C-alpha cells in the first residue's frame, strides 16, 4: 500500500485488517477481491505489489495452519487468524462484512452466490479454458489448435448464452443493480467479468454489444465503472494491467471467427 | 418417491418439504444434493424419477419467478417459495438446515465451502472437461482427439494434484471426517467425487490407490460408504447408474496412458 492514491482508503490501525495473497502483475481472480475492498473503501495489504513470490509460496505450503485447512491455490484472504481460499468463498465471507451482501440468514445470500458462481463459470473459468483447453501445465503455444476450437465455441455459443443469462438477471431486478436497491459484490463480479472478457475478445464483445440484445448488461457495466471509488481505483496504479492471466488477448482466437449474434441462446 | 425403500425417509407432511429438479437417468451434479437428503433421512421430491423433462424445462424457462432470480442450469432446489441453483450454493443452503454444516456465523462454514469448491473443481468440472474439452454442444465423438489430450493431463497431473490436496485435507482434520468430529456435507461431496471419478477412470484410480500415497482419501471414501443411510441408499433403486453424464467411462481415454504416480504433485 505504498501508492500515494491508496491513502484515501480507511485504515483501522497501523496495519490493514485484511490481506490478499495473489500472483503479481495481473488482475486475475484476485481482482474480484480487490474490487470489494476498493468499493467499500477498506484498506488491505496486497503483497503482490511488494513481495509477491514469497507470499504465494508461503500460503500454498502452509501445513501448520491450525484451524485453517490447507489451500490449493490463490487468491487467499488473510483476516486475523483466518486463512481462506476459493474466490466465491472469499467473496461471501468478505461481502457480508463489508456491507456488500445480505446476511446468510437471508435467502438473497444464496441467490447472490448462485449468480456469482454462474457469472464466474461463464466469463472467468470458461475464458481461461479458451487459451488452455488441454492442460494448464502446457503453454498456450502448445495447445493452439485446440484453443482455436474452444474459442470458436466460446464466441458462438457460450458468450451469447451467458450474456443472455445475465441480461435476464438484470431484467429480474429493479435496477440499476442486480439485487435490491443497492450495489452488492455480485455487481462488482459482473463488472470485472465483462471488463476482462472484453479485453480478451474485443471484436466478439463489440459485436455482441452492437446487437442490442444485451443493453442491460452493458449499461450495468458502465454504472459500476462510474462508482466513485471504482472509478478512482481503475485510474490508479493499484489496478494491474491485463497480461498472461485469465483474460488474455490472442487476436488469432477471434480473428477468423464470425460472431453469429442470432445464434440460439 | 414411489419406491418402496423410500418409506424410511422422514416426511413432514403429505408432500416433501424439498424438491430437487435435475436431469433423469444419471447421478450428475444432482447426486450431491440427493446424498445430503439421504444422509439426513429427509424426504425429497425428485421428478427426475417420474416426470423429468417437464420439470427441467419448466424451471429453466421460469420468468415469473418473483423473488427468485433466473437460473441457467440444473440442479435446482425448490424449498417453499425459494428456487435456487448452482450446486455449491444449494449445498450451503441445505447443509445448514439439515445439520450437515455449521452456521454461516462460523468460519468453518466458509472453510467447508472452500473445500467443497476445490473438490468439485478437480473431480467434477475437470472430469467433465476430459470428454468435452472443446464444446458441450458437440458430441464426445466429435472431440475425441482433444479429449485424449485433456484426459492425459487429467490422469498424469490433475488427478494426482487434487488427490494430494484432499490427502492434506484429510490429514489436517482429527478424522474420520474432514471437519470436526461429525460428518458434514463436504464428506458426502468428496465421496461422490471419488466414486464418480473411479467409475470414469478405473485404471487410473486403481493405480493411484495402489501407490499408497492417498490412503487417507480412500479410507475416508469407505467410511462414508458405510454410513447406514448412505449404504441403504446406494443399494436402493433411487441411486441412478452412471451413464452419459459428468462421469463417463470411455476406456480409450486411459488405456493408452501410463499413470505416473510419482509425478510432481
Amino acid at each position: 500500500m505504498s501508492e500515494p492514491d491508496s491513502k484515501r482508503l480507511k485504515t483501522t490501525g497501523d496495519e490493514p485488517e485484511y490481506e490478499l495473497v495473489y500472483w503479481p502483475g495481473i488482475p486475475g481472480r484476485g481482482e474480484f477481491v480487490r474490487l470489494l475492498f476498493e468499493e467499500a473503501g477498506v484498506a488491505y495489504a496486497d503483497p503482490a505489489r511488494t513481495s509477491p513470490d514469497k507470499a504465494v509460496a508461503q500460503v500454498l505450503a502452509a501445513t501448520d495452519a491450525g484451524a485453517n485447512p490447507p489451500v490449493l491455490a490463490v487468491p487467499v484472504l488473510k483476516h486475523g487468524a483466518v486463512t481462506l481460499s476459493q474466490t466465491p468463498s472469499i467473496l461471501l465471507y468478505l461481502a457480508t462484512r463489508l456491507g456488500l451482501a445480505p446476511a446468510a440468514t437471508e435467502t438473497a445470500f444464496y441467490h447472490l452466490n448462485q449468480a456469482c458462481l454462474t457469472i464466474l463459470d461463464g466469463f472467468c473459468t470458461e475464458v481461461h479454458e479458451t487459451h488452455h483447453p488441454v492442460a494448464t501445465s502446457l503453454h498456450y503455444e502448445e495447445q493452439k489448435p485446440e484453443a482455436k476450437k474452444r474459442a470458436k465455441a466460446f464466441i458462438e455459443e457460450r458468450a451469447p448464452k451467458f450474456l443472455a443469462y445475465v441480461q435476464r438477471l438484470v431484467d429480474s431486478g429493479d435496477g440499476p443493480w442486480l439485487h435490491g436497491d443497492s450495489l452488492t459484490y455480485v455487481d462488482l463480479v459482473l463488472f470485472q467479468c465483462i471488463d476482462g472478457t472484453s479485453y480478451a475478445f474485443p471484436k466478439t464483445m463489440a459485436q455482441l454489444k452492437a446487437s442490442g440484445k444485451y443493453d442491460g448488461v452493458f449499461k450495468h457495466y458502465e454504472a459500476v465503472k462510474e462508482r466513485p471509488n471504482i472509478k478512482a481505483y481503475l485510474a490508479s496504479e493499484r489496478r494491474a494491467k491485463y497480461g498472461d492471466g485469465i483474460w488474455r488477448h490472442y487476436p488469432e482466437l477471434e480473428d477468423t471467427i464470425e460472431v453469429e449474434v442470432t445464434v440460439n441462446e
Side-chain angles (χ1 to χ4, degrees), chain A:
Chain A
M1 300 298 295
S2 59
E3 298 88 343
D5 59 354
S6 71
K7 285 180 184 163
R8 68 172 180 79
L9 295 173
K10 286 180 284 186
T11 54
T12 53
D14 291 333
E15 294 290 325
E17 187 182 352
Y18 297 99
E19 178 178 339
L20 165 68
V21 181
Y22 193 64
W23 301 112
I26 50 168
R29 286 188 171 84
E31 200 62 13
F32 299 111
V33 185
R34 288 190 188 102
L35 285 168
L36 266 66
F37 289 127
E38 296 287 344
E39 168 63 25
V42 169
Y44 58 106
D46 192 343
R49 295 169 182 150
T50 48
S51 55
D53 298 333
K54 200 177 147 201
V56 171
Q58 274 177 349
V59 84
L60 295 181
T63 52
D64 55 346
N68 295 298
V71 301
L72 184 65
V74 290
V76 160
L77 176 74
K78 290 187 175 187
H79 180 221
V82 174
T83 299
L84 184 66
S85 73
Q86 277 285 358
T87 305
S89 204
I90 294 172
L91 297 177
L92 276 182
Y93 178 92
L94 267 185
T96 47
R97 284 165 174 76
L98 301 181
L100 294 170
T105 47
E106 296 184 38
T107 304
F109 175 90
Y110 302 92
H111 278 148
L112 285 171
N113 188 36
Q114 161 189 315
C116 175
L117 291 162
T118 308
I119 293 166
L120 289 175
D121 280 351
F123 299 109
C124 181
T125 306
E126 294 211 13
V127 169
H128 183 268
E129 292 284 347
T130 63
H131 51 77
H132 276 75
V134 173
T136 52
S137 60
L138 296 175
H139 290 112
Y140 160 68
E141 288 72 19
E142 297 173 280
Q143 48 196 310
K144 225 164 155 176
E146 295 85 2
K148 283 197 175 183
K149 288 188 183 182
R150 178 87 185 211
K152 184 175 189 296
F154 179 78
I155 290 167
E156 294 179 350
E157 296 163 23
R158 304 303 279 176
K161 181 189 174 87
F162 281 96
L163 277 177
Y165 171 74
V166 176
Q167 180 65 45
R168 286 177 68 200
L169 203 57
V170 171
D171 288 341
S172 74
D174 299 324
W177 312 121
L178 295 176
H179 172 75
D181 53 10
S182 60
L183 178 141
T184 69
Y185 78 103
V186 182
D187 293 298
L188 301 172
V189 168
L190 178 56
F191 163 79
Q192 176 55 35
C193 279
I194 297 297
D195 196 72
T197 306
S198 299
Y199 170 82
F201 293 98
K203 276 179 56 179
T204 301
M205 290 298 273
Q207 282 185 259
L208 289 165
K209 185 178 179 179
S211 76
K213 295 167 77 175
Y214 317 104
D215 285 351
V217 181
F218 291 100
K219 196 176 157 193
H220 174 274
Y221 171 83
E222 296 297 335
V224 174
K225 206 173 183 174
E226 289 304 314
R227 297 281 289 188
N229 284 1
I230 298 299
K231 193 173 182 175
Y233 169 61
L234 296 175
S236 77
E237 287 182 7
R238 297 195 301 283
R239 171 77 165 182
K241 290 190 166 38
Y242 291 107
D244 280 351
I246 289 162
W247 300 284
R248 306 185 186 188
H249 180 48
Y250 294 121
E252 65 272 21
L253 289 186
E254 64 172 358
D255 274 0
T256 55
I257 298 158
E258 195 62 35
V259 182
E260 178 56 82
V261 294
T262 56
V263 75
N264 177 27
E265 288 149 12

